């Protein structure tokens, strides 16, 4: 891509990209990025430039096509009938992978902290998929759940904000532990318990007792059992994570001024992706 080639000539971007890629881990946190105080347009342009160096930024918002997504409270989005996603409300966010309800979840994402929560909550959480696997292997029930979730079709419902319309009920069916895509990996992860529960309500034919039990056990492991990274990220901090190998979430918080920017990146060009992806309209 011509734009990526031009961006690679920018020394600061080149060094930051090398730093993120060179860690050899599935998650990285970098503080003091230097974007605090910039206008929204300039800040988002800088974040887009960085993500373009790392992959192909996508848009999974079918209605606006936005790539830089605001993770902040939207009181107007709440209703009893609407499937509200984690990024639209205050409170906690269960451990999950992004775009779990789409055919091709992006391989990477970033979160940039525009405004940290001014309270004792809102800690960012990360769990490596290998920690999930090792925790499951400690019991017979966990080992059985892992084997079942490698094969069983599981329905993931699309949250209302990402669906084609508020009245649309969309879902996608896939195993939780998919085939590995990198040498040395056991699997790729696809997980979001609330989307699965709502998916099973749409597809009760898939809700076998064994599957429901295995999903509940994995939920317990993800929320309480597996070791995790936990940190309240300060303003002007960047978090990068591998979306196929890491679960992420947050602890509860009450400060509705908390504001993050999320951008998801695919390893393949948008033209080769299946499902919603990215025309840039920011």
């Amino acid at each position: 891509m011509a734009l990526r080639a031009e961006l690679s000539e920018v020394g600061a971007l080149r060094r930051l990209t090398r730093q993120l890629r060179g860690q050899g881990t599935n998650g990285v946190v970098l503080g003091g990025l230097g974007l605090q105080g910039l206008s929204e347009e300039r800040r988002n342009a800088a974040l887009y430039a960085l993500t373009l160096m790392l992959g192909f930024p996508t848009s999974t918002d079918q209605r606006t096509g936005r790539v830089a997504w605001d993770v902040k409270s939207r009181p107007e989005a709440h209703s009893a009938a609407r499937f509200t996603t984690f990024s639209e409300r205050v409170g906690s966010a269960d451990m999950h992978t992004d775009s779990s309800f789409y055919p091709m979840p992006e391989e990477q994402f970033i979160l940039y902290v525009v405004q940290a929560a001014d309270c004792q909550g809102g800690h960012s959480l990360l769990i490596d998929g290998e920690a999930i696997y090792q925790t499951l292997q400690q019991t017979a029930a966990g080992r059985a759940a892992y084997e079942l979730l490698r094969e069983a079709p599981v329905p993931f419902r699309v949250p209302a904000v990402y669906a084609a319309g508020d009245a649309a009920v969309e879902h996608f069916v896939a195993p939780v532990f998919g085939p590995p895509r990198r040498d040395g990996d056991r699997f790729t992860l696809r997980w979001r318990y609330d989307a699965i529960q709502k998916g099973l309500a749409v597809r009760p034919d898939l809700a076998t007792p064994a599957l429901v039990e295995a999903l509940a056990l994995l939920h317990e492991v993800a929320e309480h059992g597996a070791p995790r990274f936990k940190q309240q990220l300060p303003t002007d901090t960047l978090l990068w994570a591998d979306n196929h190998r890491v679960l992420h979430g947050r602890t509860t918080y009450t400060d509705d001024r908390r504001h993050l920017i999320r951008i998801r990146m695919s390893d393949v060009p948008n033209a080769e992706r299946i499902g919603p992806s990215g025309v840039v309209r920011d």
Side-chain angles (χ1 to χ4, degrees), residues 58-101:
T58 70
S59 170
T60 45
D61 178 357
Q62 299 184 66
R63 283 175 275 184
T64 70
R66 288 182 63 86
V67 171
W69 180 262
D70 292 294
V71 180
K72 63 181 182 179
S73 175
R74 298 177 179 84
E76 72 280 359
H78 301 175
S79 74
R82 191 174 183 274
F83 181 13
T84 304
T85 192
F86 299 131
S87 61
E88 298 179 283
R89 55 173 173 78
V90 298
S92 63
D94 287 354
M95 306 306 298
H96 63 285
T97 58
D98 274 2
S99 299
S100 56
F101 35 74

Side-chain angles (χ1 to χ4, degrees), residues 21-176:
R21 285 177 169 167
Q23 297 297 316
T25 65
N26 291 331
V28 176
V29 172
L30 295 175
L33 205 62
L35 304 183
Q36 187 176 7
L38 294 182
S39 67
E40 177 183 6
E41 182 179 3
R42 293 187 66 191
R43 179 196 67 217
N44 287 359
L47 293 172
Y48 179 77
L50 171 62
T51 56
L52 187 59
M53 294 285 286
L54 294 167
F56 297 91
T58 70
S59 170
T60 45
D61 178 357
Q62 299 184 66
R63 283 175 275 184
T64 70
R66 288 182 63 86
V67 171
W69 180 262
D70 292 294
V71 180
K72 63 181 182 179
S73 175
R74 298 177 179 84
E76 72 280 359
H78 301 175
S79 74
R82 191 174 183 274
F83 181 13
T84 304
T85 192
F86 299 131
S87 61
E88 298 179 283
R89 55 173 173 78
V90 298
S92 63
D94 287 354
M95 306 306 298
H96 63 285
T97 58
D98 274 2
S99 299
S100 56
F101 35 74
Y102 284 144
M104 293 181 68
E106 294 89 344
E107 288 83 357
Q108 314 170 59
F109 70 89
I110 65 161
L111 286 169
Y112 171 75
V113 185
V114 179
Q115 175 65 56
D118 187 16
C119 62
Q120 297 304 307
H123 296 76
S124 293
L125 305 170
L126 296 176
I127 304 177
D128 195 284
E130 183 64 16
I132 293 286
Y133 173 81
Q134 294 298 339
T135 304
L136 287 173
Q137 295 304 303
Q138 293 174 12
T139 66
R143 292 190 292 273
Y146 172 72
E147 293 301 329
L148 178 61
L149 296 176
R150 290 177 62 196
E151 304 293 339
V154 176
F156 295 76
R157 182 177 164 184
V158 181
V161 71
Y162 300 134
D166 277 331
V169 177
E170 304 173 14
H171 73 283
F172 182 74
V173 176
V176 170

Side-chain angles (χ1 to χ4, degrees), residues 8 15 36 63 85 131 133 153 163 206 227 239 256:
S8 67
R15 289 190 296 273
Q36 187 176 7
R63 283 175 275 184
T85 192
Y133 173 81
L206 298 178
L239 182 152
D256 61 8

Side-chain angles (χ1 to χ4, degrees), residues 146 149-151 174-181 185-190 244:
Y146 172 72
L149 296 176
R150 290 177 62 196
E151 304 293 339
V176 170
F177 296 103
R181 298 179 58 185
D185 281 356
R186 301 181 194 275
F187 48 74
T188 55
L189 260 173
R190 182 191 295 262
H244 284 191

